Amino acid sequence: MDIAAIILILVCIANLLLGLSVLLRNSHSRVGQSFFAMTLLINSYAISNYLTDKATHLSLNILFNRLAYLTAFLSLAMAAIFSRYFVGKKTHYPGWLMWLGAIGLVVFSGLSVSSYVAGSVSQHNGKLIFDNGPLTPLYYLALLIILGAIIRDFYNLISKGNAIQKDQGRIIALGFSASIIIALITNALIPALSASNFETAKYGPPLLSLLLVTSISYAIARHRLFDIRLVIARSVAYLLLLGTLAGIFAASLFGLTSLFFKAGNTSNSEQAVFVIVAVALAFLLQPLKRFFDKFTNRLFYRDAYDSQELLNELNKHLVTTIDLEQMLTKSASILAKTLKNEYSLFAIKENASSGIRYIGSHKFSGDMQQIAELINSANHNSRRALVADELPSELDQLKTRMQQAGVSVIVKLQGTAKSHAQQPGYILLGPKRSGGIYSSQDTAVLEIIADELVIAIQNALRFEEIQKFNVTLQEKIDAATKQLRHANSRLKELDATKDEFISMASHQLRTPLTSIKGYLSMVLEGDVGKLNTKEKQMIQTAFDSAERMVFLIADLLNVSRLQSGKFVIENKPTDIAKMVGAMVNQLQETAKNHHLTLTYEPPAKFPLVNVDETKIQQVVMNFMDNAIYYTPAGGSIGVGLEATDSEIRYTVTDTGLGVPKAEQHHLFSKFYRAGNARKMRPDGTGLGLFMAKKVIAAQGGAIIFKSEEGKGSTFGFSFPRSQVELKGNTLKPKELQAVS
């Protein structure tokens, strides 16, 4: 087997693999079908051309010679059909022209297998002589016309197509042109100049096939014509491997046999050399295979990456942070590193009223607002990833804006159709550093990434919104707190002024009230003459009112002293039993006037106690006075005083209004009065119970309170007996206790 045969076999295998791969990729594609048919015809032409002078009978030589003419013509015709489908021509030719072309194809196909074109084949002195037919020039003219149509198609593609189509057109057109030139030189020009020299014809078809396969393969691999880079890369690797091994094998055999052996001798030794060379090549097979695999990977997969690893790395990052700036900066870095592009950048629009926010290491210099408007206005929403070089002619303005900004790909970040109006932004990708283009794998992965990023970005934006709201809320809280502090400070000042006024007013009212009370007492005692019953009753009422005013002023002064820290407890021996009895007697007349029954059972024996007599007297009077004024006519009031082994207790129980349960916890607050009490007695101050609790608590006692609305109340106090009882004749008062 000679070198031409080995080359022919390798090229035919490559053509067949490529044609099948394209066809199986999309069996319904006109481009794939025409390409596969073209590869079969090219293989047929190459084989027929090779067998033209290899057949053992002259009749077979003639047959293969005519088949070579026929398959050459049909190969070029199918190449023209392939070019029309590939460039996407939609020109409609007149019917007569279509019929003329079909007739011409049939006529020239018939002439190709006749002696008018193929000529004759004869044998002279053991050599084959090929003579051209009379219509051979017309045959070549038809080939040139077809070639011109192919060149015109690719010229239109190169001049009017997008960047990818231009590159594809240049590479394939170059391959076609070089192949045709080689075919014309080896199969037409040289044989025409030397009628007896047809040796070059057997190298032409393999060479042109190799060029054509290589050019189309490179266009496919580099520019995604059919997206079968793996088949091509491995096919090229195996072709290189087989070619290298065949070359080494042929060179080794030729060199060794010519060096050590003479023709016709030591055939056994030659066979031994064959075996040794074959074994050596077997050891070289795997190292050479790895070398060519790496070589073709670098050639066809310079920008290759594992898409699943990219998705895994990106997903791992997206779940580790919710901060938008940090999340997208790292995502842009991952994309730029994996896709091997100049930059990756995010253009985010937080809401309809905000501007565009850029996140990434690249400084964007274009007008993203205008680009976004062009994208939204274009009827091109089905595509998420917009590659500048692949945009159709109707989007030339968008393409120009992207190129001016140095953007190769824009990926729309959008969710479902319902959330389209809330599109958060775009991914902007710069050109690849290798100069390559973005493949279909790149765009598919970017669209998957976009879906995941949309959710992450929207969550991050909501998180930022919450953070901003928290900051704003905190600022408002701080401002409100500042205002409240200022208002509180002002209220304290006003409260201090009020206390000062109350203290001053109370002191000023005390003197005239004392005089009024004294003179009324003198009138009641008859110092100015005898009073009749009605006069005495009126004077007594005035005296009681003056007495209440005295107690009220005392309460106001005590409140003022509490605020200023001057409130003191002045303990001394006190007979509470005598005090309570006197108070009950004093209020009996008032109770009768209110049509109430006031009862009191004095204890048989009650100890002297060490308390502040004046303040306890105010508390005792306050509880009785409240019972009288808050008990409707016909009710009853019971005053109780008892001394047990552990405590002494004073209580006043009435059948009056009672305190609503919802208001009971406020009852002993300063200036507080229950709602039903305010209705019955509007002139109250709400200081009596407040001061009572302060006085009792300051002396170590506890307030007694129990009430039910509409049924009555019980008010009182208790002291631990051991704490306040005076034993024996020791009547020393306790030290004054300051209460704040």
Side-chain angles (χ1 to χ4, degrees):
M1 184 179 293
D2 57 16
I3 295 177
I6 295 174
I7 294 174
L8 176 63
I9 292 172
L10 295 177
V11 171
C12 287
I13 293 172
N15 284 346
L16 186 60
L17 287 175
L18 181 59
L20 281 173
S21 300
V22 173
L23 182 65
L24 295 176
R25 182 72 175 178
N26 189 354
S27 60
H28 301 292
S29 169
R30 296 287 188 180
V31 176
Q33 292 170 355
S34 59
F35 183 78
F36 179 66
M38 184 181 68
T39 57
L40 291 180
L41 288 170
I42 289 175
N43 281 353
S44 301
Y45 165 65
I47 295 171
S48 299
N49 189 75
Y50 175 79
L51 295 176
T52 297
D53 60 349
K54 296 297 182 181
T56 56
H57 299 286
L58 186 60
S59 59
L60 291 177
N61 295 125
I62 295 173
L63 174 62
F64 287 125
N65 182 55
R66 294 183 178 185
L67 285 176
Y69 275 92
L70 175 62
T71 52
F73 178 77
L74 293 178
S75 296
L76 199 58
M78 187 55 67
I81 295 173
F82 166 76
S83 69
R84 300 295 289 181
Y85 286 129
F86 174 68
V87 302
K89 276 289 187 180
K90 295 181 174 58
T91 304
H92 297 286
Y93 295 102
W96 64 268
L97 187 59
M98 298 294 290
W99 278 106
L100 182 62
I103 293 172
L105 181 63
V106 174
V107 169
F108 274 95
S109 297
L111 291 174
S112 298
V113 294
S114 70
S115 59
Y116 294 104
V117 172
S120 61
V121 181
S122 59
Q123 193 171 21
H124 181 69
N125 295 328
K127 289 185 178 182
L128 293 174
I129 299 175
F130 296 86
D131 294 320
N132 293 323
L135 297 181
T136 301
L138 186 60
Y139 171 84
Y140 287 121
L141 178 61
L143 293 181
L144 288 175
I145 292 174
I146 297 174
L147 179 61
I150 294 173
I151 294 174
R152 183 194 62 183
D153 286 340
F154 283 103
Y155 174 79
N156 291 333
L157 181 67
I158 293 169
S159 60
K160 298 179 182 178
N162 57 40
I164 293 179
Q165 291 173 331
K166 288 179 180 179
D167 285 343
Q168 291 172 340
R170 291 191 192 99
I171 295 171
I172 297 176
L174 182 62
F176 268 116
S177 301
S179 300
I180 297 302
I181 291 172
I182 291 175
L184 290 175
I185 293 174
T186 58
N187 290 55
L189 184 60
I190 295 178
L193 294 177
S194 179
S196 61
N197 187 2
F198 284 92
E199 288 296 318
T200 57
K202 64 182 180 181
Y203 293 102
L207 289 175
L208 71 89
S209 296
L210 183 61
L211 278 172
L212 190 58
V213 169
T214 302
S215 63
I216 296 179
S217 300
Y218 185 71
I220 292 171
R222 180 173 174 80
H223 295 291
R224 300 190 285 121
L225 180 58
F226 300 114
D227 203 13
I228 51 170
R229 290 190 295 177
L230 180 61
V231 174
I232 297 170
R234 291 297 169 260
S235 298
V236 173
Y238 283 116
L239 287 173
L240 292 173
L241 177 62
L242 292 174
T244 303
L245 291 175
I248 294 174
F249 187 77
S252 300
L253 291 181
F254 177 77
L256 291 173
T257 54
S258 62
L259 180 63
F260 296 105
F261 307 110
K262 294 182 180 180
N265 294 328
T266 61
S267 60
N268 291 334
S269 299
E270 288 180 352
Q271 292 177 3
V273 170
F274 295 161
V275 173
I276 293 171
V277 172
V279 172
L281 291 177
F283 283 102
L284 288 174
L285 177 63
Q286 285 303 320
L288 284 173
K289 180 179 180 299
R290 286 194 295 270
F291 171 78
F292 286 121
D293 283 345
K294 291 180 180 178
F295 173 75
T296 53
N297 283 341
R298 285 196 299 269
L299 179 63
F300 296 105
Y301 289 93
R302 287 184 295 175
D303 298 330
Y305 58 91
D306 189 328
S307 57
Q308 190 59 49
E309 287 185 4
L310 169 60
L311 294 173
N312 291 341
E313 183 179 4
L314 196 62
N315 286 330
K316 182 179 179 181
H317 168 66
L318 292 179
V319 299
T320 58
T321 180
I322 194 65
D323 181 80
L324 182 67
E325 191 80 23
Q326 182 180 352
M327 178 180 69
L328 294 187
T329 300
K330 179 63 175 178
S331 298
S333 175
I334 292 172
L335 289 175
K337 180 185 70 174
T338 305
L339 298 177
K340 301 177 179 65
N341 56 13
E342 293 182 2
Y343 70 87
S344 296
L345 183 67
F346 288 90
I348 303 301
K349 193 171 179 62
E350 298 179 11
N351 52 62
S353 60
S354 67
I356 294 177
R357 176 180 174 187
Y358 298 98
I359 301 177
S361 58
H362 180 73
K363 185 176 181 181
F364 185 70
S365 58
D367 189 347
M368 190 60 216
Q369 187 65 39
Q370 191 173 41
I371 292 175
E373 291 174 359
L374 290 172
I375 293 174
N376 294 331
S377 62
N379 187 18
H380 208 64
N381 293 329
S382 60
R383 296 179 62 183
R384 299 279 297 280
L386 304 177
V387 182
D389 291 335
E390 296 181 3
L391 293 177
S393 57
E394 61 266 22
L395 296 180
D396 282 344
Q397 189 176 0
L398 174 59
K399 176 181 178 181
T400 301
R401 291 291 180 184
M402 291 174 64
Q403 290 174 342
Q404 289 175 348
V407 179
S408 293
V409 179
I410 292 180
V411 184
K412 294 185 287 186
L413 296 172
Q414 63 187 47
T416 61
K418 293 182 179 179
S419 62
H420 177 70
Q422 300 177 354
Q423 176 177 308
Y426 303 90
I427 307 175
L428 310 179
L429 303 176
K432 290 203 173 184
R433 294 190 294 269
S434 64
I437 57 106
Y438 284 86
S439 66
S440 57
Q441 178 199 19
D442 296 332
T443 55
V445 171
L446 287 171
E447 289 183 354
I448 295 173
I449 290 172
D451 290 333
E452 298 176 355
L453 283 171
V454 166
I455 299 173
I457 290 172
Q458 289 177 339
N459 290 339
L461 287 175
R462 299 294 83 77
F463 177 73
E464 278 195 353
E465 185 178 345
I466 293 172
Q467 282 188 318
K468 290 178 181 178
F469 174 77
N470 289 339
V471 171
T472 304
L473 181 62
Q474 187 61 47
E475 291 175 353
K476 290 182 178 179
I477 291 173
D478 292 342
T481 303
K482 185 177 180 180
Q483 292 178 350
L484 286 173
R485 287 196 185 112
H486 177 73
N488 188 48
S489 176
R490 179 62 179 160
L491 286 173
K492 286 181 178 179
E493 293 176 2
L494 293 174
D495 194 51
T497 303
K498 176 205 68 179
D499 291 340
E500 184 179 351
F501 170 77
I502 291 174
S503 177
M504 180 186 66
S506 299
H507 279 96
Q508 294 299 322
L509 290 172
R510 205 175 202 184
T511 302
L513 276 175
T514 302
S515 298
I516 292 171
K517 182 181 176 184
Y519 282 120
L520 290 173
S521 177
M522 291 173 63
V523 172
L524 286 172
E525 291 174 0
D527 292 346
V528 293
K530 188 176 180 180
L531 301 174
N532 58 37
T533 304
K534 188 174 182 180
E535 290 173 339
K536 188 175 182 179
Q537 184 179 359
M538 294 174 65
I539 297 298
Q540 184 63 50
T541 301
F543 180 82
D544 292 342
S545 297
E547 185 74 13
R548 284 196 298 273
M549 285 293 292
V550 170
F551 287 139
L552 174 61
I553 290 171
D555 286 341
L556 291 173
L557 285 172
N558 285 331
V559 170
S560 177
R561 289 165 183 163
L562 278 172
Q563 298 295 330
S564 61
K566 297 178 181 179
F567 182 79
V568 294
I569 298 297
E570 298 175 349
N571 291 337
K572 64 180 180 180
T574 302
D575 187 348
I576 292 182
K578 183 178 179 180
M579 177 194 299
V580 171
M583 290 289 179
V584 169
N585 291 333
Q586 182 180 342
L587 293 174
Q588 281 290 357
E589 188 67 26
T590 304
K592 289 180 182 179
N593 293 336
H594 285 80
H595 307 287
L596 302 173
T597 302
L598 177 61
T599 59
Y600 169 59
E601 293 291 336
K605 183 179 180 182
F606 199 86
L608 289 175
V609 293
N610 193 35
V611 295
D612 189 320
E613 182 178 5
T614 302
K615 293 181 175 63
I616 290 294
Q617 184 179 357
Q618 289 177 342
V619 173
V620 170
M621 173 61 77
N622 181 270
F623 287 163
M624 290 187 194
D625 193 56
N626 284 345
I628 291 172
Y629 279 96
Y630 294 123
T631 301
S636 62
I637 300 169
V639 178
L641 184 66
E642 62 176 334
T644 65
D645 293 339
S646 59
E647 64 177 3
I648 62 172
R649 292 169 58 89
Y650 164 75
T651 58
V652 178
T653 303
D654 62 60
T655 59
L657 299 177
V659 182
K661 188 174 183 180
E663 300 182 66
Q664 290 181 7
H665 63 287
H666 293 298
L667 194 62
F668 291 90
S669 301
K670 183 169 62 172
F671 300 117
Y672 183 81
R673 300 180 69 220
N676 55 356
R678 287 198 303 270
K679 291 179 181 179
M680 188 168 185
R681 188 182 180 186
D683 60 335
T685 63
L687 290 175
L689 294 179
F690 170 74
M691 285 305 306
K693 185 175 182 179
K694 291 291 184 182
V695 167
I696 299 302
Q699 298 179 75
I703 288 292
I704 297 171
F705 168 66
K706 182 174 64 173
S707 181
E708 186 175 353
E709 186 177 8
K711 294 185 178 181
S713 304
T714 297
F715 286 89
F717 58 79
S718 66
F719 286 104
R721 184 167 181 171
S722 61
Q723 178 179 326
V724 297
E725 182 181 5
L726 287 173
K727 296 180 180 180
N729 295 323
T730 304
L731 301 176
K732 294 181 181 180
K734 290 186 178 181
E735 296 181 357
L736 298 179
Q737 302 178 27
V739 180
S740 59

